Amino acid sequence: MSAPRFGAVIVNYNSAPLAVAAALSFLGDGGVAVAIVDNQSADDSRLVLKAAREGRAPLFAAVAALAGTAVELVLAEQNGGFAAGCNIGLRRLLARGDCTHFLLLNPDALVAAGSLDAFAERLADPSVGLCGATVAAYDAPHR
């Protein structure tokens, strides 16, 4: 069996800078594709994410440098909550056809180096179909 190819769904609501950081951490650990689903943010998140995706914002400068990756911005027609946003993003990633495994991330989640390899190792066991991660404090990740 070939190595898993991870895609991530990040559901955003009024937190574009955090969603960008989450995407960068995921892609930096070897992720294949990210769908950032904006859940009808009431702030300027949609503008920030669009500008960043189009390379017009320094915030996303690092994304363009990550060859072989893709970040898709999906604008939800309504805010159906986290689960609905995840479903929208999963449909987009599944349609790409190049992801075999998926992470569902809050925008304030950062993927630590080596996490995707650890997930892949755990998921290599045929009796395992789902796994999760340890959550560390965003402002104090050493805890």
Side-chain angles (χ1 to χ4, degrees), residues 8-35:
V9 176
I10 300 168
V11 179
N12 179 68
Y13 182 76
N14 294 344
S15 54
L18 293 175
V20 171
L24 290 173
S25 71
F26 172 77
L27 293 171
D29 197 39
V32 173
V34 177

Side-chain angles (χ1 to χ4, degrees), residues 11-19 37-46 48-49 79 107:
V11 179
N12 179 68
Y13 182 76
N14 294 344
S15 54
L18 293 175
V37 179
D38 185 76
N39 246 354
Q40 289 286 315
S41 289
D43 66 358
D44 63 351
S45 282
R46 287 182 173 218
V48 170
L49 291 168
N79 184 341

